[in-house]
């Protein structure tokens, strides 16, 4: 019986082998990435993708097959090509071709990018620059949290809660996608400005709910929120921010909300990107597809139009 | 508004009852023949045994308790009682009053030869209205070559068309595009939440304790509800009411026994079976070897895994009108490990205990009110529990420090239910069933408890003692149904049903009105066409990330935020009896609403978010064609099943986006699925069996390209441009299909009957006979794609003794 058991255990041991990949998407493609922001010159980054089983994987592999002198990257704004738009800036030392434009996106612009490089399929992408956002800050109320508010273990850090009432007042008929991010910066006495530190908000810190009362945590692991009109329907909206481990409040230099109208491409890309970098850290995590609107290749072309609201909090 | 909707629903239900009942009130004088059909040698009641009145062609079959009732016009009647594998009983009588006839069948000597073929009268065959259902005789299940020599009902069911398995070895059932949680798995009518032993490689159903197995994939009768995709109705043996019998067996995996017999002859019977695996015992020498190899302060290291289960049933017959059944199941999987180490002045102890299992109990009362009305009343209890405890202790005796650590992860689901099911046979053309059920669910989805404590020489004490987890939920589920199996004409038969379900949870009440329709057109005695449409709803979900069945798979209820699932299924098919072979071709189209999946990037581990934040609600659709040729009698038995199917999911609802809102194939989507099972009796002492399966590979997510993607939000500058590290790019969920699955299993049984009538069987079987490396997991390892296979060729032997 023992022999039979040993044999069974031996044969039952798991075995692994290398298998051949059968499927599509094995060839590298062009990747273009650009986020147009109103008031900032347009930048475009071009690189090549690398097949995941490639045995020549390295940082340089993203650009070694790209020949800038033979490649073409064109930009069209509202149907007209912008001449002499790009310049290559290889001095950045990052593994992509880096182009910067004299064109500064304006609300309502339509942008089309095209790229062609020898050995790759041509790619193109289009986007519209969003109209100006219209967020209105109604109120910001602060209070210090106590042990009764918090079920978790209290340590020596301070805990604060800020309740913010906000309204989105732009045209309801517009197809609106938004971005919202609290930004809190602390400075340190006797330290120069470059040592200012942003506070690292997490998903547990920013509670933002839709009109139905359902959680609309688009990125359930991160504090950044991309949301749509559908979730707030133009109403006044209340959300709360909890801040733990804050440096002494007297060191808070700036506390504001970064609000932005974004286009649909950015909405989808932003959500999927944050999911992608914050997810997949756990065993059995589901995969996270990354949004792309680049035809014939990969990457993203999208646009945002920002508005900053300073939060006057009497700490 | 809600009240108005409610009134309309009640009115609709009442109307349906009125429509179903009218034809029952005929004026012609009729009498009813009723009684029980049993096995003459054991007294075991027979399910789906047939009665046909040859003059009128009217017929019926026994219910799950062996009871039948047939109302016929007064006068001369020719009754023919039959059941596969038994001699047919014919009788002629003049029907002048309601008559009770109990029939005890004798086994047919010609059964194995195939000379006598009993026509299939059951509701599942050519003549019945029921489609999308399959009965697999237990003797056929027992002959399917099995992994580790352990016969498994679920593994046999996976070989049927329309049913797909998950990964290698998994006991999950994926019925017509549904998930493994969308099947109602009933043991003697009581739901079992987790039917898996050993991560799903074996199921809780012990074949020795089972009498009958029926799988419904669609065309659901109204008496069934609570799940979207499948109903597996497993019935336990009552026990021999004449004499004691039993069996004992050992295989390289488990030992088991079964005993049955009368406590009071002809009145009270029992049936008891139990089994236990002994992998933990067999693995001890290897653990000992490992301990000796590692001379690193390890003083003691033990560990192991085993499962056991116990089935018990008690049946008491008070009279021909009253029977009482009590059945009980208990099963547990246990993983344990104990380690003791001494390193320097530190003594460390660590214990791991990981248990999961079910307890199921039911009390059932059958009462015959009169020849035309039968009632089955039940009170049921079912529990699934999961408990993981890790405790550790570290002592620095010299320094006087003592630390301890406890971690517990527990989850639990308890159901207490009561039901009454009536069968009413007012007229030869109508079999009416109606009833109601109530279930009280108690969910404790997951609770994690952590304790950490430390004591030092200065009487310093510090520690953490906390518990967190999802809130406990108590929900109520109620349902009422009525169905009529209506023989409109000789060739046209309908099954019309309506079920109303109510689910009260988390301060919200959900209602569901579920019509069910099945139609059968009998073209010839051997050929029929069938079609059906049914709506189902389900208010419990199972959350699972993996392709294997893990005990951490979490059962959760519908809540105010998570709505119950619904499905709508249409099916049509052709059914043909070719001598002893039943042939069928069926096509189906099914849509599903509010199905759940983990959101992109989510898993059950780690995050402190509640489970509702980790899942999204979406929709699914599935369609396919199934072919089945099944032979239940003769020396050669078995079936050939083939399925072509497609199963998709889409999560595009606001706030419930998965895969960017685009459709994607379900994880268990298989385009082709073929299974061939055959058993052949060479002579009375030797039989052989073989099973071959082939299936398209299942799906998984694989990032195929790496990108240098730039844009990301930079909190320092408040800009949307930030240079980031390269990212693996996944285009779509479940974008990669694993290699195909195929396997050949072989088995041979050597039987011997001793002079005292006892039998012994030695079974040899080979799982995966040509040692195919089937994919269990595919993953990237550097520049290589690797496949993990877990079951190569696996011979096994078992010895069974019956007395």
């Amino acid at each position: 019986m023992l022999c039979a058991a040993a044999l069974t255990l031996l044969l039952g041991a798991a075995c692994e082998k290398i298998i051949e990949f059968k499927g599509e998407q094995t060839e590298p493609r062009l990747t273009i990435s650009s986020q147009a922001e109103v008031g900032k010159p347009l930048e475009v980054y071009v690189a090549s993708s690398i097949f995941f089983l490639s045995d020549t994987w390295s940082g340089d592999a993203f650009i070694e097959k790209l020949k800038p002198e033979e490649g073409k990257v064109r930009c069209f704004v509202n149907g007209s090509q912008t001449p002499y738009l790009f310049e290559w800036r290889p001095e950045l030392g990052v593994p992509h071709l880096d182009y910067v434009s004299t064109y500064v996106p304006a609300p309502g612009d339509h942008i089309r990018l095209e790229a062609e490089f020898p050995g790759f399929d041509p790619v193109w992408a289009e986007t519209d620059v969003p109209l100006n956002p219209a967020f209105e800050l109604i109120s910001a109320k602060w209070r210090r949290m106590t042990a009764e508010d918090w079920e978790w273990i209290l340590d020596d850090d301070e805990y604060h809660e800020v309740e913010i009432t906000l309204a989105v007042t732009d045209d309801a008929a517009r197809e609106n996608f938004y971005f919202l991010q609290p930004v809190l910066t602390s400075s340190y006495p006797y330290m120069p400005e470059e040592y200012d530190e942003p506070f690292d908000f997490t998903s547990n810190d920013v509670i933002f709910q839709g009109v139905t009362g359902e959680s609309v945590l688009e990125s359930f692991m991160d504090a950044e929120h991309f949301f749509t009109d559908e979730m707030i329907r133009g109403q006044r909206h209340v959300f709360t921010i909890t801040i733990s481990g804050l440096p002494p409040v007297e060191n808070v230099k700036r506390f504001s909300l970064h609000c932005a109208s974004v286009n649909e491409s950015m909405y989808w890309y932003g959500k999927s990107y944050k999911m992608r970098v914050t997810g997949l850290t756990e065993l059995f995590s589901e995969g996270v597809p990354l949004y792309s609107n680049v035809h014939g290749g990969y990457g993203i072309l999208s646009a945002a139009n920002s508005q900053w609201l300073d939060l006057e909090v009497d700490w | 508004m809600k009240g108005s909707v409610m009134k309309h629903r009640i009115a609709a239900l009442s109307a349906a009852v009125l429509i179903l009942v009218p034809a029952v009130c005929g004026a012609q004088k009729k009498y009813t023949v009723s009684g029980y059909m049993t096995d003459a040698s054991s007294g075991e009641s027979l399910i789906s045994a047939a009665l046909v009145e040859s003059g009128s062609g009217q017929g019926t079959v026994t219910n799950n308790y062996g009871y039948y009732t047939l109302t016929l016009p007064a006068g001369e009647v020719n009754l023919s009682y039959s059941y596969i594998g038994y001699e047919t009983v014919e009788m002629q009588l003049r029907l002048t009053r309601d008559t009770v006839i109990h029939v005890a069948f004798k086994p047919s000597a010609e059964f194995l030869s195939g000379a006598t073929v009993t026509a299939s009268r059951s509701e599942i065959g050519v003549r019945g209205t029921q489609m999308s259902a399959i009965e697999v005789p237990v003797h056929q299940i027992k002959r399917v070559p099995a992994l580790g020599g352990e016969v498994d009902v679920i593994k046999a069911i996976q070989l049927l068309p329309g049913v797909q398995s998950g990964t290698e070895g998994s006991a999950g059932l994926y019925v017509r595009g549904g998930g493994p949680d969308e099947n109602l798995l009933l043991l003697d009518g009581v739901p079992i939440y987790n039917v898996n032993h050993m991560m799903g490689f074996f199921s809780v159903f012990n074949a020795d304790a089972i009498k009958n197995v029926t799988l419904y994939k669609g065309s659901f009768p109204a008496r069934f509800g609570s799940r979207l995709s499948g109903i597996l109705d497993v019935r336990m043996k009552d026990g021999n009411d004449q004499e004691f019998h039993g069996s004992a067996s050992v295989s390289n995996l488990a030992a088991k026994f079964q005993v049955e017999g009368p406590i009071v002859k002809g009145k009270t019977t029992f049936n008891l079976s139990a089994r236990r695996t002994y992998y933990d015992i067999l693995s001890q020498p290897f653990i000992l070897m490992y301990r000796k190899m590692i001379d690193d302060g390890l003083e003691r290291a033990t560990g192991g895994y085993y499962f056991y289960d116990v089935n018990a049933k008690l049946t008491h017959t008070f009279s021909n009108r009253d029977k009482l059944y009590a059945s009980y199941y208990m099963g547990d999987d246990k993983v344990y490990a104990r380690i003791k180490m001494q390193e320097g002045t530190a003594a460390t102890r660590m214990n791991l205990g990981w248990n999961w299992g079910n307890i199921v109990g039911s009390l059932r009362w059958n009462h015959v009110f009169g020849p035309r009305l039968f009632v089955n009343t039940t009170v049921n209890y079912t529990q699934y529990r999961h408990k993981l405890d890790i405790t550790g202790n570290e002592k620095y005796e010299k320094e006087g420090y003592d630390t301890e650590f406890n971690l517990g992860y527990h989850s639990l689901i308890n159901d207490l239910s009561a039901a009454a099911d009536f069968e009413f046979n007012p007229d030869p053309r109508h079999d009416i069933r109606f009833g109601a059920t109530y279930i009280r669910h108690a969910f404790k989805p997951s609770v994690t408890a952590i304790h950490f404590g430390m004591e030092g020489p200065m009487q310093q004490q510090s520690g953490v003692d906390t518990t967190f987890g999802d809130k406990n939920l108590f929900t109520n589920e109620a349902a009422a149904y009525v169905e009529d199996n209506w023989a409109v004409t000789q060739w046209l038969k309908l099954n019309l049903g309506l079920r109303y379900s109510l689910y009260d949870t988390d301060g919200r009440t959900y209602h569901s009105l579920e019509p069910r329709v099945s139609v059968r057109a009998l073209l010839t005695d051997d050929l029929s066409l069938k079609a059906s449409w049914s709506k189902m709803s389900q208010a419990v979900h199972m959350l699972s990330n993996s392709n294997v069945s893990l005990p951490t798979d979490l059962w959760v209820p519908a809540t105010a935020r998570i709505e119950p699932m619904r499905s709508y299924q249409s099916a049509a098919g052709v059914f043909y009896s070719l001598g002893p072979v039943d042939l069928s071709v069926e096509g189906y189209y099914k849509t599903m609403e509010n199905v759940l999946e983990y959101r992109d990037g989510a898993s059950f581990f780690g995050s402190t978010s509640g489970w509702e934040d980790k899942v999204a609600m979406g929709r699914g659709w599935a369609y396919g064609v199934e072919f089945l040729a099944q032979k239940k009698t003769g020396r050669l038995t078995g079936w050939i099943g083939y399925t072509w199917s497609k199963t998709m999911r889409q999560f595009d609802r606001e706030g419930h986006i998965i895969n960017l809102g685009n459709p994607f194939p379900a994880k268990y989507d298989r385009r082709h699925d073929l299974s061939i099972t055959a058993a052949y009796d060479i002579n009375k002492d030797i039989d052989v069996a073989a099973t071959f399966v082939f299936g398209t590979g299942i799906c998984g997510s694989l990032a195929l390209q790496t990108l240098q993607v730039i844009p990301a939000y930079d909190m320092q500058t408040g800009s949307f441009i930030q240079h980031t590290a390269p990212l693996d790019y996944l285009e779509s969920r479940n974008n990669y299909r694993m290699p195909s699955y195929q396997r050949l299993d072989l088995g041979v049984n050597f039987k011997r009957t001793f002079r005292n009538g006892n039998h012994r069987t030695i079974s040899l079987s080979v799982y995966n006979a040509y040692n195919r490396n089937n994919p269990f997991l595919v993953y990237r390892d550097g520049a290589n794609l690797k496949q993990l296979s877990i079951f190569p060729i696996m011979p096994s032997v078992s010895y069974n003794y019956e007395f």
Side-chain angles (χ1 to χ4, degrees):
Chain A
M1 180 56 81
L2 196 60
C3 290
L7 184 65
T8 305
L9 281 170
L10 191 67
L11 292 171
C15 62
E16 63 175 10
K17 67 171 186 178
I18 294 171
I19 58 171
E20 186 188 347
F21 175 79
K22 288 180 182 170
E24 299 171 353
Q25 278 188 283
T26 56
E27 293 301 316
R29 292 182 184 177
L30 281 181
T31 303
I32 58 173
S33 308
S34 181
Q35 294 277 34
E37 287 188 72
V38 171
K40 295 181 181 177
L42 184 72
E43 289 184 78
V44 179
Y45 309 98
V46 181
S48 157
S49 70
I50 303 173
F51 180 54
F52 83 121
L53 295 179
S54 169
D55 54 3
T56 58
W57 202 98
S58 70
D60 289 342
F62 289 108
I63 52 171
E64 65 188 6
K65 290 181 181 171
L66 297 175
K67 295 174 182 163
E69 63 279 8
E70 295 177 23
K72 287 179 185 168
V73 180
R74 292 185 291 269
C75 175
F76 299 85
V77 178
N78 300 323
S80 304
Q81 185 170 357
T82 310
Y84 309 111
L85 190 63
F86 299 111
E87 59 180 87
W88 182 36
R89 299 196 305 169
E91 73 277 8
L92 286 178
V94 284
H96 52 74
L97 306 183
D98 199 350
Y99 296 82
V100 66
S101 166
T102 54
Y103 160 66
V104 178
D109 280 355
H110 177 81
I111 304 171
R112 177 185 170 91
L113 282 176
E114 295 177 355
E116 284 180 42
F117 281 79
F120 293 89
D121 291 337
V123 299
W124 62 271
E126 291 182 332
T127 199
D128 291 312
V129 181
L131 300 177
N132 289 332
F135 288 87
E136 184 188 348
L137 181 65
I138 310 295
S139 66
K141 295 176 191 166
W142 164 85
R143 74 184 180 94
R144 190 183 297 273
M145 296 178 76
T146 64
E148 289 169 6
D149 298 311
W150 209 248
E151 291 177 358
W152 193 241
I153 316 150
L154 272 174
D155 51 28
D156 295 334
D157 291 333
E158 290 185 7
Y159 290 78
H160 308 267
E161 182 182 82
V162 182
E163 184 181 286
I164 295 166
T165 307
L166 197 69
V168 183
T169 56
D170 58 13
D171 182 3
R174 243 169 66 181
E175 188 184 26
N176 290 316
F177 297 89
Y178 304 104
F179 169 85
L180 193 70
Q181 167 69 48
V183 176
L184 190 150
T185 315
S186 298
S187 61
Y188 294 92
Y190 316 115
M191 298 292 275
E193 196 170 309
E194 57 264 31
Y195 289 94
D196 288 356
E197 268 190 8
F199 181 78
D200 191 12
F201 288 99
T202 70
S203 64
N204 290 329
D205 295 331
V206 183
I207 307 301
F208 181 66
Q209 293 191 324
V211 284
T212 60
E214 282 192 14
S215 169
V216 289
L217 295 177
E218 289 302 296
S219 167
F220 67 95
M221 295 177 191
D222 206 276
E224 294 168 25
H225 290 296
F226 287 91
F227 60 98
T228 70
D229 252 359
E230 187 64 28
M231 295 175 195
I232 56 173
R233 293 177 202 153
Q235 295 182 15
R236 285 186 177 196
H237 212 76
V238 178
F239 66 102
T240 56
I241 301 174
T242 56
I243 306 165
S244 57
L246 184 70
V249 290
E250 57 270 23
N251 292 345
V252 173
K253 186 178 178 185
R254 186 184 186 193
F255 185 26
S256 49
L257 279 178
H258 184 181
C259 311
S261 278
V262 299
N263 63 14
E264 188 172 359
S265 300
M266 186 163 183
Y267 171 77
W268 288 114
Y269 172 78
K271 287 202 310 178
S272 64
Y273 175 80
K274 294 310 295 182
M275 287 283 190
R276 174 65 187 79
V277 296
T278 54
L280 295 179
T281 55
E282 301 164 352
L283 187 64
F284 299 121
S285 290
E286 295 290 349
V288 183
L290 191 64
Y291 177 81
S292 170
N293 63 346
V294 176
H295 298 260
Y298 306 117
I300 180 72
L301 168 63
S302 60
N305 191 345
S306 297
Q307 177 187 3
W308 288 81
L309 299 174
D310 284 329
L311 300 171
E312 300 296 334
V313 176
D314 188 14
W315 299 101
Chain B
M1 185 63 190
K2 273 186 176 175
S4 167
V5 172
M6 190 69 193
K7 278 178 191 169
H8 279 100
R9 284 173 177 161
I10 292 169
L13 188 63
S14 311
V17 173
L18 291 174
I19 290 166
L20 294 174
V21 172
V24 296
C25 311
Q28 189 185 357
K29 199 146 195 175
K30 300 180 187 90
Y31 295 106
T32 300
V33 184
S34 61
Y36 286 93
M37 298 192 211
T38 55
D39 178 310
S41 58
S42 66
E44 191 73 43
S45 59
L46 299 175
I47 298 171
S48 292
L51 163 63
V52 180
E53 199 287 305
S54 51
S56 63
Q58 303 288 350
T60 190
V61 292
T62 52
N63 64 14
N64 283 328
Y65 313 97
Y67 185 77
Y68 74 96
T69 171
L70 180 63
T71 302
L72 296 167
E76 289 291 334
V77 292
N78 294 301
L79 303 178
S80 174
Y81 293 87
S82 60
Y83 190 68
I84 286 180
Y86 290 84
E87 288 180 2
T88 300
V89 177
E90 309 269 4
M91 62 179 72
Q92 193 174 36
L93 61 105
R94 184 168 183 78
L95 203 58
T96 56
R97 57 189 168 87
D98 289 340
T99 307
V100 175
I101 302 173
H102 300 305
V103 178
F105 289 101
K106 290 178 183 167
S108 165
E110 294 169 314
F111 171 54
L112 292 179
S113 72
T116 302
V117 176
T118 307
S120 173
R121 287 291 312 188
S122 91
E123 274 306 305
I124 289 168
V126 169
R127 290 172 166 270
T129 50
Q130 181 66 53
M131 64 181 300
S132 307
I134 305 173
E135 271 178 351
V136 185
V138 173
H139 68 84
Q140 212 163 22
I141 289 172
K142 285 186 170 181
R143 291 169 71 176
V144 174
L147 176 64
E150 189 61 28
V151 172
D152 195 287
V153 172
I154 296 280
K155 289 291 191 304
I157 293 294
Q158 285 176 342
L159 300 172
L160 298 171
V163 183
Q164 296 176 2
S165 56
T167 46
E168 167 89 276
S170 162
L173 293 178
Y174 299 85
V175 179
R176 289 188 171 174
D181 61 330
E182 294 174 20
N183 306 309
L184 186 61
L185 305 162
L186 297 168
L187 182 62
D188 260 1
V190 190
I192 294 190
Y193 279 95
N194 188 330
V195 296
N196 303 304
H197 280 310
M198 210 174 177
M199 308 291 180
F201 299 132
F202 299 96
S203 77
V204 300
F205 300 117
N206 182 347
D208 288 346
I210 289 166
K211 176 163 67 175
N212 196 74
V213 178
T214 308
L215 174 74
Y216 298 86
K217 301 176 288 182
S219 179
F220 300 104
R223 61 184 177 276
F224 292 124
S226 302
R227 296 292 188 278
L228 293 196
S229 297
I231 310 287
L232 183 67
D233 192 5
V234 177
R235 297 283 161 176
M236 284 166 64
K237 287 178 185 170
D238 297 336
N240 196 313
D241 70 353
Q242 298 299 317
E243 50 195 16
F244 288 95
H245 284 285
S247 66
S249 72
V250 287
S251 67
N252 38 346
L253 183 74
K256 57 186 178 180
F257 76 88
Q258 184 255 338
V259 285
E260 59 181 310
I263 296 173
V264 179
K265 206 168 182 179
K267 282 276 185 191
T268 309
T269 64
F270 76 96
N271 185 17
L272 176 69
S273 60
R275 64 176 167 169
R276 188 197 189 279
T277 58
Y278 31 67
Y279 240 57
D280 56 328
I281 299 165
L282 297 178
S283 60
Q284 288 310 311
F286 299 96
I287 292 171
L288 200 65
M289 279 163 53
Y290 177 73
R291 220 178 80 191
K292 284 183 178 169
M293 278 164 58
I294 300 177
D295 184 21
D296 197 17
L298 200 62
E299 289 186 353
R300 185 183 172 199
T302 59
Y305 164 80
Y306 67 92
F307 73 77
Y308 73 90
D309 47 33
V310 178
N311 292 75
K313 190 166 184 179
L314 206 59
T315 306
H316 181 72
T317 305
F318 290 98
S319 68
N320 286 335
R321 284 175 171 266
D322 292 288
K323 275 191 177 185
L324 191 69
Y325 305 81
S327 39
Y328 177 80
Y329 165 85
M330 183 181 176
D332 267 316
D333 287 56
K334 286 182 185 285
V335 179
Y336 62 92
R338 283 182 282 276
I339 293 170
K340 186 180 173 190
M341 292 178 74
Q342 182 74 45
E343 280 182 300
T345 59
T348 307
R349 289 170 188 267
M350 188 160 283
N351 293 326
L352 164 79
W354 193 10
N355 309 335
W356 63 95
N358 298 279
I359 295 176
V360 172
S362 78
L363 198 59
R364 183 179 310 279
W365 172 46
N366 285 178
H367 178 68
V368 180
F369 280 104
R372 297 179 189 186
L373 185 62
F374 174 91
V375 63
N376 172 50
T377 309
T378 56
V379 179
N380 301 323
Y381 174 77
T382 183
Q383 180 199 76
Y384 171 66
R385 66 211 175 281
H386 167 259
K387 198 175 173 188
L388 170 65
D389 286 302
I390 301 170
T391 60
N393 175 267
E394 198 168 36
K395 248 186 187 171
Y396 292 82
E397 283 191 9
K398 202 172 171 185
E399 293 84 351
Y401 282 103
D402 191 355
T403 59
E404 62 176 34
F405 169 78
N406 298 321
L407 170 70
Y409 176 78
H410 302 173
S411 67
L412 183 78
I413 175 169
N414 272 323
D415 281 2
L416 192 59
S417 63
D421 299 282
F422 294 84
E423 296 176 27
F424 181 45
N425 185 236
D427 179 272
R429 296 192 299 158
H430 292 271
D431 286 325
I432 295 174
R433 294 177 185 230
F434 56 96
T437 182
Y438 167 78
I439 307 170
R440 169 78 167 167
H441 299 279
F443 294 87
K444 193 179 279 187
S446 71
V447 174
T448 304
I450 299 171
H451 169 77
F452 177 79
M454 185 173 174
E455 283 185 38
M458 307 296 287
Q459 297 299 312
Q460 299 161 330
Q461 287 193 1
S462 62
V464 175
D465 198 346
T466 187
T467 300
F468 60 90
D470 292 302
K471 61 185 177 183
N472 294 348
L473 280 168
F474 299 92
T475 63
N476 299 293
E477 187 174 358
Y481 69 89
V482 57
E483 66 173 87
D484 183 9
N485 209 22
W486 177 18
V488 183
T489 67
Q490 278 282 22
W491 67 273
L492 182 64
K493 202 170 181 184
L494 304 174
N495 187 295
L496 303 173
L498 190 66
R499 184 180 180 90
Y500 169 71
S501 300
L502 179 148
Y503 197 75
D504 175 52
T505 175
D506 203 15
R508 192 166 168 186
T509 304
Y510 297 98
H511 305 271
S512 177
L513 202 55
E514 300 162 13
R516 317 277 173 84
V517 183
S518 298
V519 185
R520 180 226 63 188
L522 190 65
L523 304 183
T524 71
D525 271 357
D526 300 319
L527 177 66
S528 65
L529 302 177
K530 298 185 190 183
S532 68
W533 187 88
S534 53
K535 178 187 172 187
M536 302 288 277
S537 67
Q538 177 173 339
V540 291
H541 309 266
M542 186 179 74
L543 304 179
S544 176
N545 275 106
S546 58
N547 287 327
V548 290
S549 303
L550 293 174
T552 49
D553 291 348
L554 208 59
W555 280 97
V556 292
T559 63
R561 276 172 61 185
I562 304 295
E563 297 170 28
M565 298 188 281
R566 288 185 293 271
S567 76
Y568 306 86
Q569 186 179 161
S570 311
V574 183
F575 298 79
Y576 183 59
S577 280
L578 182 66
V581 181
D582 288 333
L583 299 166
S584 68
V585 179
E586 288 190 45
Y588 67 91
Y589 183 81
K590 181 161 81 172
T591 57
M592 293 155 272
E593 296 171 357
N594 303 331
V595 292
L596 291 192
E597 291 231 0
Y598 273 109
R599 289 175 185 265
D600 292 338
S603 93
F604 56 86
F605 276 132
S607 169
T608 52
S609 309
W611 65 268
E612 287 170 293
D613 290 333
K614 295 181 180 181
V615 298
M617 280 190 292
R619 56 203 171 94
W621 59 96
Y623 50 90
V625 179
E626 299 162 2
F627 168 81
L628 175 67
Q630 187 178 20
K631 186 171 182 287
K632 294 180 184 173
T633 60
R635 293 174 73 171
L636 177 67
T637 58
W639 65 85
I640 299 171
Y642 170 74
T643 306
W644 181 95
S645 64
K646 189 167 184 178
T647 304
M648 299 293 288
R649 294 282 185 271
Q650 186 167 22
F651 291 72
D652 55 357
R653 193 191 301 187
E654 193 71 56
H656 292 266
I657 303 291
I658 289 179
N659 195 46
L660 303 165
N662 299 318
F664 58 92
K667 199 178 287 181
Y668 32 84
D669 172 51
R670 285 187 197 272
R671 200 66 68 246
H672 305 280
D673 198 15
L674 170 73
S675 62
I676 302 171
T677 297
Y680 183 72
D681 293 303
I682 295 173
N683 56 43
K684 70 179 179 59
D685 293 328
I686 301 174
D687 64 70
V688 292
T691 298
F692 174 75
V693 290
F694 171 85
T696 310
I698 61 170
C699 295
S701 302
L702 203 56
L704 300 179
Q705 296 280 339
T706 304
L707 306 186
Q708 181 65 45
V709 181
I710 305 305
Y713 186 73
D714 185 351
M715 212 178 291
Q716 184 91 36
T717 62
S719 165
F720 289 98
I721 295 295
Q722 184 184 191
H723 297 264
T724 64
L727 279 183
D728 290 336
Y729 173 69
L730 174 66
E731 190 168 35
S732 176
R733 184 179 282 204
N734 295 339
N735 61 330
Y736 173 71
R737 200 169 279 281
M738 288 188 188
S740 63
Y741 180 90
Q742 52 180 284
R743 197 184 79 229
L744 174 70
D745 305 333
L746 301 172
V748 57
N749 293 318
F750 299 98
K751 295 176 281 190
R752 187 175 167 194
T753 303
F754 300 104
R755 284 181 190 168
N756 59 5
N758 295 349
H759 311 276
R760 70 108 175 91
T761 306
I762 297 172
S763 302
L764 304 176
S765 64
V766 183
Y767 183 88
N768 195 4
Y770 57 86
N771 195 26
R772 155 91 176 177
N773 285 329
N774 283 308
F776 178 74
L777 191 67
V778 172
Y779 61 96
R780 175 188 176 182
D781 183 12
N784 294 316
L785 193 61
K786 284 191 172 175
Q787 172 187 293
L788 183 72
S789 305
I790 54 170
F791 290 135
I793 182 170
M794 291 187 72
S796 62
V797 58
S798 67
Y799 180 89
N800 184 57
Y801 188 83
E802 289 177 50
F803 54 90

